[in-house]
Amino acid sequence: MNPTPPLVLVFAGNDPSGGAGLTADTLALASLGCHPLPIVTAITVQDSAGVQDFQPVDPDWLEDQARLILEDMRVDAIKVGMVGSIENLTVIAEIASDYPEIPLILDPVLTSGRGDEFSTDELISAMRELLLPHTLIVTPNSIEARRLGSDDPDEQVDLPLDAAAQRMLDCGCEYVLITGTHENTPKVTNTLFSGNGRVRSDQWERLPGSYHGSGCTLAAAIAGAIASGVEISQAVRDAQEYTWQTLSNGFRPGMGQLIPDRMFWARPGEDEIAEAAAKDDDAPAEKA
Ligand code: PXL
């Protein structure tokens, strides 16, 4: 029997552009040698430019999808992205509390990244109270970190990221990785915090262009590394490295944002394309 790859249960929404959500997570996990177990939380109507609408799945259906798999397979990590509704968040939190030994990676998808709202104040409170206590690592961008760190919009504006991280840790999660893409800095700085303060800070060249699904890619890559047994600080480092490569290989399939190429290594490189073109030129012309 062939060995089973690391198994990652993914709670996420479907994005028909393939840029974010379940497809993003599935591609990133497969690319890193894991097998994804996709649990649909919501369906969205969107293209590469923006979200038109979304609808959460029925919470009983969400629960049935996940519990049947969890009873059948030994799951190595759980990754949570868009949850779709408070009812769905509650189901996921209950499942997490029934499987405390499975590390949970939470990407708190509050908006689409292009600003389309996926959350309400109530959903954010429920995330703090119900899901963060079961979370190994939460991966907000700086905007999500400030919203999770404070209810008060005035306070959110100037809330230092260390303080926002501390508030999330106070809710019961073990690690917080805040990404700095939305900060006005020349390089992108991503910082990992634990109860002992800053664990690591990594800086990355800021790439031009606007990407759809970079947060999903990063959190899925962390989940994949953790499911594979990599220690957390190294998992965070490796996942950033992988994500940066997917971004620098990004492509633009439609009229909107770029999509990170999670399978960049599987495409022919420029050299191979040039070689193939040269071979074509050498080939004898076909007779008419
Ligand atoms: O990138 C965040 C995200 C996550 N999940 C789904 C999405 C989006 C952004 O649009 O559609 C399903």
Side-chain angles (χ1 to χ4, degrees), residues 212-230:
H212 178 46
S214 48
C216 302
T217 308
L218 178 65
I222 295 173
I226 288 172
S228 309
V230 179

Side-chain angles (χ1 to χ4, degrees), residues 97-117:
S97 86
D98 290 343
Y99 291 87
E101 71 287 359
I102 307 180
L104 189 145
I105 294 85
L106 172 63
D107 177 16
V109 178
L110 305 183
T111 62
S112 72
R114 295 166 297 208
D116 314 288
E117 198 55 70

Side-chain angles (χ1 to χ4, degrees), residues 29-132:
L29 287 166
S31 171
L32 297 172
C34 296
H35 177 69
L37 307 166
I39 310 296
V40 192
T41 56
I43 54 174
T44 70
V45 178
Q46 63 179 305
D47 58 16
S48 64
V51 178
Q52 272 189 14
D53 213 347
F54 75 92
Q55 186 173 55
V57 303
D58 181 284
D60 291 337
W61 277 76
L62 178 69
E63 175 153 25
D64 290 350
Q65 290 180 74
R67 288 207 187 267
L68 200 64
I69 292 298
L70 282 159
E71 278 164 30
D72 183 35
M73 300 179 195
R74 191 213 67 245
V75 171
D76 298 295
I78 296 177
K79 193 234 158 187
V80 181
M82 175 187 186
V83 296
S85 67
I86 297 198
E87 292 75 15
N88 284 356
L89 186 144
T90 307
V91 164
I92 296 169
E94 279 166 7
I95 291 173
S97 86
D98 290 343
Y99 291 87
E101 71 287 359
I102 307 180
L104 189 145
I105 294 85
L106 172 63
D107 177 16
V109 178
L110 305 183
T111 62
S112 72
R114 295 166 297 208
D116 314 288
E117 198 55 70
F118 283 146
S119 61
T120 57
D121 288 348
E122 291 72 34
L123 189 117
I124 294 175
S125 307
M127 201 172 264
R128 283 192 204 111
E129 284 162 31
L130 303 178
L131 211 45
L132 283 181

